[in-house]
Every structure is written in structure tokens, then in C-alpha cells.
Amino acid sequence: MAGLAFVDISTGRFQLTELDFSLRHPEALIDVFTRLRPAELLLPQSRFEELAPLTKDLQAELGQLCLTPRPDFHFEPQTALTALTEHFHTANLAGFGCDHFTAATHAAGALLHYLHETQKTDLAHIKQLTPLHQSGFLVIDDSSRRNLELTETLVGGQRQGSLLAALDQTTTPMGARLLRRWLLFPLQDQTQIQARLDSVEELLHKSDVRRQLQQLLAAIYDMERLCSRLILGHGNARDLSAIKTSLAQLPAIHQLLSSCTSPLLCELTASLDLLHDLHTLLDNA
């Protein structure tokens, strides 16, 4: 069993999963890596040489993948669990739905320890641990993904000419990242697929609502990365101004979504925090 944890430090997205794995049949593990395309891989020091054939294959698939050996004790169960529960201020990981991921929890704890060591900050923007359930997504192996040209062309590896480029009419960087994840991890649950399609159908028929939403969303900056910059101490007044501008769009977005009736859009409307206090604070400043 292989335990895997992935983090995007710029957005705070923290995921983990587990896979059946052997060095003779590493296809499933390589598949996850080629979907998420990490830039750096942390490995226990004692298994660095043993996993050399696998890491060689991964580097061939991903190009410049940095390999970093880490002390074994960072992956020990209690050390890893303590690092995670202290960061999230919880007694366990049951609230994240990750308590049954034993091996992956070890990887996640070691990864979090490495981030604290290298980033020198409290990493407050990493607010949750998300299980990556392989059973919930359609499995498309790397060779099929390349031949289908989902995110890049077979010849040249260019985004232009791929399915993603043809479909991507998103107006925010966050939407573009989400669309890419949806293409690489397509749903296989009929109920969830139908819920998405119902929302798409409603916005397709309500052209005025759709166009107004597009205009409002186009004024929203990359909130995930702006918040990360501020938390990591790299932000400035321009970033705060961009957040203020983005928050100013929320009331109008909420009003438009309130006219929608599909379940997913109703759920989104109900959960949308307008953040009036924060907008007022930034506007006054």
C-alpha cells in the first residue's frame, strides 16, 4: 500500500490518497502523479534507493521532478498524526474523512513538517485535508489521456489544440484550475454528473444570467493565490486592493444565483458568504 499526499502551497489545496502498489506494477501510482504533476517528491531516506526505479520512471514522465529524501521519523505514525492534528487544531482526522487513510496520513504529516521547515510560516491558508477517492472518478491511464489530448497536444505538448483549450471559457484563474481538475478526474457517479448537467442546462437557457455572471466573475482576481501571498507574508497593498475589488462582486453574484433553481446552484447560493465586514474594512483603508 502506497500513501500519497499532495499540496499546492500557492492555493492551500492539500490532498491525500492510498493505492495498492508494487514496484513491478506501478501504473496506478504513476497515473496519479501524471494527473497532478507535482514539482517535488519527498521520500523516506531509508527507501530512497529502493524506490529509484519508480522515481526514474516518474522523472521520465514529469520532466524536472525534484527528489528530496527526508528523515524516516517524519513518516512515523505518531509524529505525522501529531503534526496534522496540531496544525488543524483537531483531536483526530475523522472530520476530514481521512481517519482510515493510515499510510497516506504518514505522508501528509511528513509533507506538512517539510512545509513548516522550508516556508517558515504557520501555513494558515491550508485549512483542510481532502481525501482523493479514486473510486469516485473514472480511471483514464496516462497513455489514454495523452492520446485523447485532454490538457495538451500529443505533438509538442501544447495547451492550444487540446480539449481543455477548446472547452475553457472560464473567466477566473480559479475556474480554469477547477475545469482542468474536472477533466483529469472525471466523475463516474451518475447522480453527481446529472446534478452538474442540470446546472449547466439552467445557465444555458438563462442567457442573461449567464452573461451577467461572466461579467462579474471577470472582475474577480485569483483569490486563492492572493490569500496565500498574504498569509505567507508576501502580499502588498495592490493585493489587498485586488481582494477588495473581488469581494465587491459577491452581492451581485449572490443576487443572480438566487434566481436559479438547480440543486447545485441553490447549494452554492446558500453557502456563499458575502464577507461584508471584510470588504468594508478594506474599502475604508
Side-chain angles (χ1 to χ4, degrees):
M1 182 65 72
L4 306 174
F6 299 87
V7 69
D8 183 344
I9 191 65
S10 66
T11 64
R13 187 174 180 82
F14 197 5
Q15 298 174 287
L16 80 173
T17 190
E18 290 183 351
L19 299 169
D20 290 328
F21 164 72
S22 73
L23 284 174
R24 291 186 178 183
H25 301 286
E27 294 82 8
L29 188 145
I30 291 176
D31 174 68
V32 174
F33 271 81
T34 53
R35 291 194 203 203
L36 296 175
R37 306 193 71 83
E40 183 175 10
L41 172 60
L42 311 182
L43 294 167
Q45 179 73 58
S46 63
R47 303 199 65 188
F48 205 77
E49 294 300 326
E50 174 192 353
L51 295 173
L54 170 65
T55 55
K56 185 176 180 181
D57 288 342
L58 288 174
Q59 286 182 311
E61 291 286 346
L62 301 176
Q64 298 298 319
L65 177 65
C66 177
L67 303 177
T68 304
R70 298 293 293 162
D72 286 11
F73 74 87
H74 288 174
F75 295 86
E76 290 177 356
Q78 194 55 52
T79 304
L81 182 61
T82 299
L84 292 168
T85 54
E86 286 184 354
H87 175 80
F88 293 116
H89 305 291
T90 58
N92 53 54
L93 302 177
F96 299 114
C98 302
D99 51 327
H100 61 291
F101 282 139
T102 305
T105 298
H106 304 167
L111 176 53
L112 188 60
H113 190 283
Y114 179 70
L115 292 178
H116 280 295
E117 186 178 298
T118 55
Q119 300 300 314
K120 309 295 185 183
T121 183
D122 64 358
L123 303 172
H125 66 305
I126 300 178
K127 296 181 178 179
Q128 66 178 35
L129 193 58
T130 306
L132 182 60
H133 295 295
Q134 298 297 308
S135 59
F137 303 103
L138 180 66
V139 176
I140 306 175
D141 62 64
D142 185 51
S143 176
S144 297
R145 284 200 309 275
R146 285 201 301 267
N147 283 288
L148 289 169
E149 298 185 307
L150 295 183
T151 59
E152 59 184 37
T153 58
L154 190 60
V155 177
Q158 300 297 313
R159 185 181 186 278
Q160 189 61 37
S162 69
L163 177 61
L164 177 60
L167 292 177
D168 190 0
Q169 300 295 318
T170 58
T171 57
T172 70
M174 297 167 289
R177 289 194 292 269
L178 180 61
L179 179 61
R180 187 177 190 278
R181 285 200 300 272
W182 281 359
L183 276 181
L184 292 176
F185 294 92
L187 294 174
Q188 63 177 6
D189 180 81
Q190 185 176 349
T191 302
Q192 294 184 64
I193 293 171
Q194 191 59 54
R196 274 190 195 169
L197 292 176
D198 288 344
S199 299
V200 171
E201 182 179 23
E202 180 171 12
L203 290 176
L204 180 63
H205 291 305
K206 294 181 176 178
S207 57
D208 288 343
V209 172
R210 185 180 69 252
R211 283 194 291 268
Q212 290 179 67
L213 276 174
Q214 288 174 322
Q215 291 171 1
L216 291 167
L217 290 171
I220 292 180
Y221 291 83
D222 194 337
M223 293 290 286
E224 289 177 330
R225 292 190 169 164
L226 284 171
C227 291
S228 297
R229 281 174 54 81
L230 292 171
I231 289 169
L232 294 173
H234 302 151
N236 54 35
R238 186 180 295 109
D239 297 326
L240 291 170
S241 179
I243 291 175
K244 184 201 74 169
T245 301
S246 301
L247 296 181
Q249 315 310 313
L250 295 183
I253 290 174
H254 184 272
Q255 183 177 358
L256 280 174
L257 290 177
S258 296
S259 67
C260 297
T261 58
S262 57
L264 270 183
L265 293 178
C266 288
E267 181 183 335
L268 177 61
T269 305
S271 64
L272 185 60
D273 187 344
L274 301 185
L275 298 170
H276 286 301
D277 293 347
L278 180 56
H279 176 264
T280 300
L281 175 66
L282 292 173
D283 193 39
N284 291 339

